[in-house]
């Protein structure tokens, strides 16, 4: 496809090659793949023509807007540098190859629609036919790119990791500031750029200049925080609430159950923490409405007072035998109803036990088994409130055959004998003797 033609009497071939037969082949031999940036030369009857293989709308650089023109020249400068790199020992030939009659009319570009440009050079190896004198370099000076640094600030503080969109005449893309809260672009002068803060949707437009720039865009938004607190449903006053936000700490008094923190700089995504009576409430702030944090306290019921536990009462039990000697090492068992404790007496025939295990003023029975293993009758006793030492004695041993009836009979015999003595001195002794013999013998 032909993109440029000119009459032969308007320009002059500068290289010592045959333009009509050898130019394209020799160019490729000299600079290799870099030749793809140079349009194919075709010599017509009275014209020079330049052809490209790619399809698209090619335009001369002179028709490009300023923002594109700088980018085209940047690409053309890169192509020229490649030619010099391919011919390190022949700068003269390199300059002649890159020579064009007029760069605005002979350097072409194509917009790919995706923010990129393709560049191709026509008129290479030619200069203006009417130019007199020796060869003159007409390649334009390389444009200079400058640093443009932007930052978003809240209360004068640059915001790190702030997301935004950058818009140029050619594209729109997301971006983010670095840890220092800045983002730097290298750009040619005269480019219009718009940045849009994601959180606030605020837009800022500027034009790059022929110098380095640092631009700060204020995105401060004011908001407020309201803390409400009640105690048993009534407004809580006379206390202070702590508010922490964005690295700042504040103490505000509660008045009629409310504390208001006004004129607070809104930082998207940041949360506010309120602390009262050891409790915390955390909420992300809203940039358009006040953020409310609420506390509801209740008075806890009084805890019942615990009565001090009484110390256990220890009693001493001593057991002696019928002769009054300690029953050392005897086994014992104390029982009262379903409650039982048991163990062994010590060498003194004693043992200590807890009175709390039994009921006072109620019968308690001690079962004692001496070391000799004999069986003795259980001994009954009663625990008393103010008595903590108890001595139990084994029942005295009984004589064989002696019982209550024998005791009564003996007493009656003694009474009868006494009567005989009395009546022996009086008449009727015989009659008394008869009565005794009848009733007792």
């Amino acid at each position: 496809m032909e993109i440029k033609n000119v009459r032969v009497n308007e320009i002059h071939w500068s290289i010592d090659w045959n333009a009509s037969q050898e130019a394209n082949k020799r160019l490729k031999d000299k600079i290799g793949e870099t030749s793809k940036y140079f349009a194919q030369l075709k010599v017509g009857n009275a014209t020079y023509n330049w052809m490209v293989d790619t399809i698209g709308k090619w335009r001369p650089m002179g028709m490009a807007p300023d923002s594109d023109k700088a980018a085209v020249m940047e690409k053309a400068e890169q192509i020229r540098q490649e030619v010099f790199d391919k011919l390190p020992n022949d700068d003269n030939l390199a300059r002649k190859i890159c020579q064009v009659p007029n760069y605005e009319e002979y350097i072409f570009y194509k917009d790919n629609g995706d923010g990129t440009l393709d560049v191709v050079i026509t008129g290479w190896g030619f200069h203006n036919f009417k130019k007199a004198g020796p060869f003159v370099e007409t390649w334009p000076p390389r444009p200079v790119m400058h640093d443009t640094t932007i930052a978003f600030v809240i209360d004068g503080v640059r915001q790190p990791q702030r997301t935004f969109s950058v818009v140029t005449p050619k594209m729109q893309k997301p971006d983010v500031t670095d840890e220092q809260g800045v983002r730097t672009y290298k750009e040619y002068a005269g480019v219009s750029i718009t940045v849009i803060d994601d959180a606030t949707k605020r837009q800022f437009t500027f034009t790059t200049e022929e110098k380095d720039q640092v631009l700060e865009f204020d995105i401060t938004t004011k908001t407020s925080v309201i803390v409400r607190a009640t105690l048993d449903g009534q407004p809580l006053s006379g206390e202070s609430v702590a508010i922490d936000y964005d690295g700042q700490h504040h103490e505000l008094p509660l008045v009629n159950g409310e504390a208001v923190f006004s004129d607070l700089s809104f930082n998207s995504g940041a949360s506010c923490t309120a602390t009262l009576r050891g409790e915390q409430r955390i909420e992300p702030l809203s940039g358009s409405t006040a953020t409310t944090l609420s506390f509801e306290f209740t008075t806890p019921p009084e805890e019942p007072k615990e009565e001090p536990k009484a110390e256990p009462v220890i009693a001493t039990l001593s057991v002696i035998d019928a002769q009054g000697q300690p029953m050392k090492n005897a086994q014992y068992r104390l029982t009262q109803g379903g409650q039982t404790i048991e163990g062994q007496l010590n060498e003194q025939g004693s043992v200590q036990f807890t009175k709390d295990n039994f009921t006072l003023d109620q019968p308690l029975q001690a079962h004692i088994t001496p070391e000799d293993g004999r069986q003795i009758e259980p001994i009954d006793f009663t625990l008393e409130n103010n008595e903590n030492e108890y001595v139990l004695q084994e029942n005295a041993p009984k004589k064989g055959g002696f019982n209550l009836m024998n005791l009564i009979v003996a007493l009656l015999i003694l009474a009868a004998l006494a009567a005989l003595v009395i009546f022996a001195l009086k008449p009727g002794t015989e009659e008394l003797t008869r009565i005794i013999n009848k009733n007792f013998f």
Side-chain angles (χ1 to χ4, degrees), residues 136-189:
V136 177
E137 175 65 71
T138 61
W139 196 273
R142 179 177 181 176
V144 177
M145 301 180 78
H146 294 278
D147 287 343
T148 299
T149 300
I150 67 168
F152 297 93
V153 298
I154 294 178
D155 289 340
V157 178
R158 294 177 177 179
Q159 301 299 299
Q161 303 299 315
R162 189 79 179 187
T163 59
F164 63 97
S165 295
V166 56
V167 182
T168 70
K170 289 296 180 181
M171 57 85 183
Q172 177 173 343
K173 67 174 183 178
D175 213 333
V176 62
T177 59
D178 62 16
E179 294 297 331
Q180 285 68 48
V182 299
R183 180 69 170 92
T184 299
Y185 301 95
K186 280 193 173 294
E187 194 56 81
Y188 298 105

Side-chain angles (χ1 to χ4, degrees), residues 12-31:
H12 182 73
W13 178 245
S14 301
I15 306 175
D16 297 331
W17 305 340
N18 188 315
S20 62
Q21 298 176 0
E22 301 177 340
N24 298 317
K25 181 179 181 305
R26 294 191 69 174
L27 178 68
K28 188 172 184 179
D29 290 342
K30 292 291 185 180
I31 64 174

Side-chain angles (χ1 to χ4, degrees), residues 77-237:
E77 177 64 23
Q78 293 174 3
I79 294 170
R80 187 170 83 147
Q81 187 59 52
E82 284 190 31
V83 173
F84 276 84
D85 291 343
K86 295 289 185 178
L87 301 169
N89 300 318
D90 198 346
D91 287 354
N92 184 52
L93 177 59
R95 282 194 296 270
K96 288 183 178 182
I97 290 174
C98 295
Q99 173 71 47
V100 295
N102 181 306
Y103 62 88
E104 288 197 347
E105 296 180 11
Y106 286 84
I107 297 178
F108 280 70
Y109 79 101
K110 178 167 68 73
D111 190 339
N112 294 319
D114 58 0
T116 63
L117 300 173
D118 287 338
V119 173
V120 68
I121 299 173
T122 68
W124 53 272
F126 285 85
H127 63 81
N128 193 309
F129 184 76
K130 298 178 180 180
K131 186 182 299 181
F135 174 81
V136 177
E137 175 65 71
T138 61
W139 196 273
R142 179 177 181 176
V144 177
M145 301 180 78
H146 294 278
D147 287 343
T148 299
T149 300
I150 67 168
F152 297 93
V153 298
I154 294 178
D155 289 340
V157 178
R158 294 177 177 179
Q159 301 299 299
Q161 303 299 315
R162 189 79 179 187
T163 59
F164 63 97
S165 295
V166 56
V167 182
T168 70
K170 289 296 180 181
M171 57 85 183
Q172 177 173 343
K173 67 174 183 178
D175 213 333
V176 62
T177 59
D178 62 16
E179 294 297 331
Q180 285 68 48
V182 299
R183 180 69 170 92
T184 299
Y185 301 95
K186 280 193 173 294
E187 194 56 81
Y188 298 105
V191 179
S192 177
I193 297 178
T194 298
V195 292
I196 306 172
D197 178 56
D198 286 355
T200 63
K201 304 305 179 186
R202 295 185 186 177
Q203 298 186 17
F204 305 90
T205 300
F206 60 94
T207 301
T208 57
E209 300 180 2
E210 287 283 1
K211 63 179 180 179
D212 293 343
Q213 292 176 279
V214 177
L215 304 173
E216 291 186 340
F217 305 112
D218 192 348
I219 53 172
T220 303
T221 299
K222 297 297 183 180
T223 187
S224 59
V225 172
I226 300 174
V227 178
R228 293 192 174 101
T230 60
L231 176 60
D232 298 330
Q234 299 300 314
L236 178 63
S237 298

